[in-house]
Amino acid sequence: MAIDRPRRPAGVFADLVSTTTSTAPRQVLGRAVVMGGSVAGLLAARVLADVAAEVVIVERDGPDPGVDDRPGVPHGLQVHALLAGGRLHLDRWFPGFSADCVAAGAFVAPSRDLRPALTGRHRWLRSVDPGVMSGSRPFLEGMIRRRVLALPAVTVVTGRATGLECRGGAVTGVHVEAGGEQRLERADLVVDATGRASRLGEWLERAGWDRPDLLRLPIELSYATGYFRSPATPEPPMWLIRDLPGRTNGGVYGPIEDDRYIVMISAYGDHRPGSTIEDFRAQLRADLPEPFTVVTAGEPQGPIRTYHMADSRRRDFGPPHRLPARLVAVGDAVASFNPTFGQGISSAALHAACLESYLSDGPDLDAPADGFFARQRVVVDAAWRLSTIMDVRRTGVVLPLSRRERLARGLTERVLTAAPQDATVEAAVTAAGFMLVHPDVLLTPAVLARAAVVHARVAVARGVVAARHGLRWLAGRVNERRGRRPLPAEAA
């Protein structure tokens, strides 16, 4: 898939989602170095293993970081979901991946069993799609890691990337601190997968290149997660609620591996979730439906884990920034979003699909990777639009947007709020939310027309209610002028 001429984002996104594995991948690289061995780095390494003789992952936590908290993934024990858009690629790169996960204890929740995160209305989704996989982050990441590290081309260096080696307009290696010593890992291509705290901009600036612009959207989201032994009678697999009054913005639970349920509650601003088992359970009883109390009645499997996310972030690597050749970035190093929407792992998978697509075109590797970043921008824009619409409305922050994007976001918001009232609109919203289609699909005439009908019906209903209240008020005034008190029925 070449992007030599302007294409509609929805078409580019569709090509990325439907990409199929080449039957005979062509080796175009000698040695690739991936900085960071979490999900985004692992998936980039999987793609590179098809086109490089050697793929080196530089990961400070080593090849087997275990299942506990680790510095590289401070939110690792919070709820994570694998959306359909990402799972399609994982099943393609690792045949049988979903089946193996389910056999090991993961659960795939059909969308009809989910409350919609995007609309925030309490109504079951009716659309049919591959659903969402529920499993702990260490479990899902471990399933990916084992498959990637089994590839003959992939090795892991336990160390910390400290800078780039640049020569002749290109990145030629990565400086690594390993075992108390400095070493240079030479590379024909370097991938930054070091996460939200990426220092790539600093390293580029130090080497005389442009630092990518960093955009932050304050969200001040706090969430807490607990693990509990599964109840005797299983509850519906997952329940997600948004925009609740009071201290709890949302909650989600689901069955995961090892006969456990994972439960998370979230809140914005000064409303911090409880950090003890007692406070956690009390908040669930007070703010969320009864099933949350049921699934947390079992034996706790460890303490409550809390995490605070101050902002959503995205870095702009596209033109007019001056970047060296043989360098790309993936995952949270490019964009990280409000985790309520569960886009992280699937975004990482789609970023890897962008890299796969870019390299399959046989690009000029001695030129900046504009073709890769153009593809990736489509994916980032899609996730950013859906994940920030509600946050912008809630916080009042003004984002730097083009006129077209402001219009698109306004129309998208109307579609999202109409979705619970119309099955066709709801199906389109679900597909976009699960990263199966670009959000521009929500702006087609058919979807917009149905959303307009919903809003018209709501407006008419509100007008009727307002008219009734007006007539009652008028009748009361007339009765007062006549000098008689209104009858009880009229007063009501």
Side-chain angles (χ1 to χ4, degrees), residues 105 107 113 124 228-239 253-256 259-262 290-296 298:
F107 193 93
D113 292 336
W124 298 112
F228 298 86
R229 183 61 58 195
S230 297
T233 302
E235 287 292 326
M238 193 174 289
W239 199 328
Y253 69 72
I256 60 172
D259 192 30
R260 297 177 297 167
Y261 269 60
I262 187 171
E290 184 181 3
F292 279 88
T293 300
V294 173
V295 299
T296 54

Side-chain angles (χ1 to χ4, degrees), residues 79-88 98 101-102 106-117 125 127-135 140 237-240 252-256 340-343 345-346 430-431 433-436:
V79 166
H80 282 75
L82 179 52
L83 304 178
R87 191 155 60 88
L88 292 174
S98 288
C101 287
V102 171
F107 193 93
V108 176
S111 64
R112 64 177 177 271
D113 292 336
L114 300 175
R115 291 195 187 257
L125 291 163
S127 55
V128 177
D129 55 68
V132 176
M133 180 175 287
S134 171
L140 293 172
M238 193 174 289
W239 199 328
L240 182 58
V252 57
Y253 69 72
I256 60 172
T340 300
F341 299 89
Q343 299 166 311
I345 296 178
S346 293
T430 302
F434 286 178
M435 304 192 79
L436 291 167

Side-chain angles (χ1 to χ4, degrees), residues 387-401:
S387 70
T388 60
I389 281 179
M390 297 303 178
D391 287 335
V392 167
R393 186 174 70 174
R394 180 178 52 81
T395 63
V397 173
V398 178
L399 293 176
L401 301 171

Side-chain angles (χ1 to χ4, degrees), residues 342-410:
Q343 299 166 311
I345 296 178
S346 293
S347 286
L350 286 167
H351 291 186
C354 291
L355 181 59
E356 180 182 47
S357 174
Y358 165 69
L359 292 173
S360 71
D361 280 351
D364 178 6
L365 295 175
D366 291 322
D370 292 342
F372 165 79
F373 287 116
R375 291 166 169 84
Q376 187 185 63
R377 179 185 290 273
V378 171
V379 175
V380 172
D381 284 347
W384 185 259
R385 182 187 298 172
L386 289 182
S387 70
T388 60
I389 281 179
M390 297 303 178
D391 287 335
V392 167
R393 186 174 70 174
R394 180 178 52 81
T395 63
V397 173
V398 178
L399 293 176
L401 301 171
S402 66
R403 181 180 300 178
R404 180 190 181 281
E405 182 61 18
R406 284 198 299 272
L407 175 61
R409 292 169 74 92

